[in-house]
Amino acid sequence: MTNAELVILSLIAECPRHGYDLEKVIEERGMRNWTEIAFSSIYFLLNKLVKEGLVIGYSQPAAGRGPAKKVYSITKTGIIELKEGVRAGLSAKELGTQAFMLGLSCLPLLPQDEVLNALRERKLFLLGRLEELQKHPALIEPGYPPHVKAMFTYSLPLLQAELEWLENFIQEIKKGNVYYGKDRSEEEV
């Protein structure tokens, strides 16, 4: 499932929505900064999700004058797929990933223990990547052009900053602060 499909699915999981409502929420939340969803693709994605059985669409009469709107709701299969996508995003084994941002945006869909496990997986990946970069010949052997060395000296502090942020975030989750003091593992989403 693509990031775009997961974003649409996550917004419909919050509450039933129609296409224009999805566009409005994507804009309000600044999701275009980390997703590849254009307004023109929303209805295409909705139709695809309906065909896959992840959402259902139904007509809702207009509040006043005007045509009925097609509203979409998530199915049980859609919830299962969304949760799997969130887990995969939180444990993403790539840098600067949109999937990770999606995982963060849907964090409360998963129980606290699953979130912690996924974030620990990501942490292990980042630690491994940091170790690889620190051992790269461009950083320890003379003779590399400055622009090549710069790619590595640029990447190291970014990785270190993400690792520091991740460790702090894990601690906040353990304290219950991310779930507003409530472990959602017992709740049905």
Side-chain angles (χ1 to χ4, degrees):
M1 179 172 294
T2 68
N3 265 352
E5 292 166 341
L6 285 168
V7 167
I8 297 295
L9 206 51
S10 73
L11 295 175
I12 294 171
E14 290 177 1
C15 65
R17 300 183 191 272
H18 55 82
Y20 178 75
D21 194 27
L22 288 165
E23 167 62 17
K24 186 174 149 191
V25 173
I26 288 167
E27 275 297 314
E28 286 173 353
R29 295 185 187 176
M31 296 174 97
R32 289 239 161 67
N33 294 328
W34 53 269
T35 63
E36 65 278 351
I37 300 174
F39 178 69
S40 61
S41 64
I42 290 174
Y43 288 99
F44 170 80
L45 292 167
L46 286 168
N47 289 330
K48 185 173 181 192
L49 293 170
V50 167
K51 286 179 187 172
E52 293 173 0
L54 304 176
V55 300
I56 56 169
Y58 53 91
S59 289
Q60 185 178 58
R65 295 172 43 169
K69 293 181 179 179
K70 191 160 191 180
V71 176
Y72 298 86
S73 295
I74 194 164
T75 63
K76 287 183 181 185
T77 304
I79 290 171
I80 292 167
E81 289 290 320
L82 176 58
K83 286 181 177 184
E84 186 52 42
V86 172
R87 274 185 215 91
L90 289 172
S91 62
K93 296 183 179 45
E94 50 191 45
L95 302 174
T97 175
Q98 294 177 356
F100 184 68
M101 292 296 286
L102 174 68
L104 288 177
S105 76
C106 298
L107 196 81
L109 290 174
L110 299 180
Q112 188 173 359
D113 61 329
E114 288 184 37
V115 169
L116 288 170
N117 287 338
L119 292 175
R120 287 180 186 125
E121 281 183 47
R122 181 164 176 85
K123 183 179 174 182
L124 287 174
F125 162 73
L126 294 172
L127 286 168
R129 186 71 181 119
L130 180 64
E131 186 178 330
E132 286 175 25
L133 282 175
Q134 289 171 331
K135 292 179 181 178
H136 194 278
L139 291 175
I140 53 179
E141 295 176 9
Y144 280 83
H147 68 282
V148 172
K149 188 174 182 175
M151 292 187 303
F152 294 93
T153 58
Y154 171 78
S155 298
L156 283 172
L158 293 176
L159 269 171
Q160 291 164 337
E162 184 170 349
L163 279 162
E164 181 180 338
W165 175 86
L166 190 55
E167 185 54 42
N168 289 333
F169 191 60
I170 288 170
Q171 295 309 314
E172 289 298 309
I173 291 171
K174 286 179 179 178
K175 291 177 192 173
N177 295 347
V178 174
Y179 289 95
Y180 304 101
K182 187 176 189 180
D183 181 353
R184 296 197 36 148
S185 62
E186 300 299 318
E187 291 183 33
E188 189 65 36
V189 177

